[in-house]
Amino acid sequence: MKNKILIIFLFFVSLTFFATNAEAKTLANKKSNTYDEETNHLSTYQRLLTNRYNISIDNSIKRSNKYKLVWRKHIPKTLLYLTGVEALYSPNFRTKYYYGPNSNQLFGVPYHAVEKEKVYNKLDKNSYTFYKLEKNSNIPYNAWVLDYGTIFNDGMGYSFYKKMLASIEDAKYDKNLQKCAFTAATHFVQGDTADDSFAEDYSDIIYEQINKTNYNQKIIKPDADAYSKKIFSMLSNGKISYVEYFKLMFKHQIGNINACGNRIGVYAYPPYSSLYGRVVLFYLHK
């Protein structure tokens, strides 16, 4: 009788062991399959993006641990353009899509921000703002971009542009031409209009807005020469206001504009932008 009970006990122990082992193998296989799917999924994007932009994809737990999410919220779909961007990030910062010098292929292309977040960097103890870009043919993944590499339509603000132009002789702010100045700012982020790959599209967009061909733009660059760098340094250090900066730079780099009715559109890259200090002036010449 005792032997029979022992046999039954061993049978149930063996059955439990095999069942537990089978369940563990099943879980392990699921984890392995999930990992393979994630790896293959990332590899698909890696091949796509590497071939298209010659970029690299980097994963780092250390980098993701460096940031703490303060808040994240949905925002109305907002048009933006990229500038000064070398890398885009996954929602948890673990994955970095590094474009490097090839980031210029992202310029002049419209994107839409659909979410906004504030994150805290535990190392430098500063907070930063990021925007989530809606997926499109150029961004086939959930990419987040630092506001340092973005520009929006409002820029420094229309009322501020009026103050800027009021500081130079006879210049009159024109709201329609300002839209053209923003268009120019989105396409010529490097300030070189001669070799821009979007030149033809840019011309078409401008013509649709004003139905004129006698247009021109001037670009004030904060790093154009030693004097310009000095004035920009004074602005950055708070020694002069932006209006004073604009007046000095206009006099130094442009002097005057032969504009119809003295009407001018202006786009100034905002303080958070990588191109802060650069100003695009758009006008119809006589």
Side-chain angles (χ1 to χ4, degrees):
M1 184 68 180
K2 290 183 178 180
N3 290 337
K4 188 175 181 180
I5 294 173
L6 181 61
I7 291 173
I8 294 173
F9 174 74
L10 291 175
F11 171 77
F12 279 108
V13 169
S14 300
L15 187 63
T16 303
F17 172 78
F18 284 116
T20 304
N21 192 42
E23 184 179 356
K25 286 184 177 179
T26 301
L27 290 173
N29 288 335
K30 285 183 178 179
K31 289 181 179 179
S32 178
N33 291 338
T34 300
Y35 175 80
D36 289 340
E37 287 176 6
E38 290 177 350
T39 303
N40 291 334
H41 188 61
L42 185 60
S43 297
T44 300
Y45 283 138
Q46 186 170 12
R47 287 193 298 271
L48 172 65
L49 298 174
T50 300
N51 291 338
R52 184 166 187 174
Y53 294 114
N54 192 29
I55 68 169
S56 61
I57 296 178
D58 175 51
N59 285 298
S60 172
I61 295 178
K62 183 178 180 181
R63 180 173 57 248
S64 64
N65 290 337
K66 183 173 65 175
Y67 294 97
K68 177 184 177 182
L69 179 65
V70 179
W71 52 258
R72 177 181 291 168
K73 61 184 178 181
H74 291 278
I75 60 174
K77 186 184 292 187
T78 308
L79 178 69
L80 64 80
Y81 287 81
L82 300 180
T83 176
V85 175
E86 287 194 343
L88 302 174
Y89 297 88
S90 63
N92 60 3
F93 288 94
R94 181 174 179 177
T95 303
K96 179 173 74 171
Y97 306 91
Y98 182 70
Y99 287 76
N102 296 296
S103 62
N104 59 6
Q105 298 182 60
L106 300 176
F107 301 158
V109 180
Y111 300 93
H112 287 97
V114 292
E115 290 185 48
K116 183 179 181 180
E117 69 179 13
K118 181 179 180 181
V119 299
Y120 179 73
N121 186 315
K122 300 174 185 177
L123 294 184
D124 64 18
K125 302 186 185 305
N126 287 317
S127 295
Y128 297 93
T129 299
F130 284 80
Y131 291 95
K132 180 183 179 181
L133 302 180
E134 186 178 52
K135 292 181 181 180
N136 62 21
S137 58
N138 293 290
I139 306 291
Y141 48 82
N142 290 322
W144 289 80
V145 59
L146 179 65
D147 62 357
Y148 178 80
T150 63
I151 55 172
F152 293 85
N153 179 61
D154 51 2
M156 297 279 278
Y158 305 146
S159 60
F160 193 74
Y161 294 151
K162 293 179 180 179
K163 293 180 181 178
M164 290 170 57
L165 293 180
S167 70
I168 59 178
E169 189 176 358
D170 295 329
K172 298 177 182 178
Y173 175 79
D174 187 286
K175 191 172 183 178
N176 290 327
L177 294 181
Q178 192 280 328
K179 294 177 182 178
C180 297
F182 172 62
T183 300
T186 64
H187 286 269
F188 303 131
V189 295
Q190 299 303 322
D192 182 2
T193 61
D195 301 319
D196 193 274
S197 60
F198 293 95
E200 184 175 346
D201 292 339
Y202 159 81
S203 299
D204 292 340
I205 294 172
I206 292 295
Y207 187 77
E208 288 176 4
Q209 291 176 336
I210 58 175
N211 292 310
K212 302 285 185 180
T213 57
N214 60 322
Y215 63 82
N216 199 0
Q217 62 271 324
K218 299 287 186 180
I219 301 176
I220 292 176
K221 306 176 187 177
D223 58 351
D225 49 45
Y227 177 81
S228 298
K229 291 179 181 178
K230 177 183 176 182
I231 300 302
F232 180 63
S233 177
M234 292 173 65
L235 171 68
S236 301
N237 293 325
K239 295 181 179 180
I240 58 175
S241 69
Y242 198 94
V243 172
E244 291 173 310
Y245 164 81
F246 171 72
K247 185 177 181 180
L248 291 171
M249 293 290 268
F250 181 89
K251 181 179 180 181
H252 173 65
Q253 292 192 19
I254 298 176
N256 59 74
I257 292 179
N258 186 25
C260 293
N262 296 323
R263 294 182 299 115
I264 300 174
V266 56
Y267 187 86
Y269 296 87
Y272 61 76
S273 172
S274 59
L275 296 178
Y276 179 57
R278 179 174 292 180
V279 182
V280 176
L281 298 168
F282 187 96
Y283 59 96
L284 300 178
H285 62 75
K286 294 179 181 178

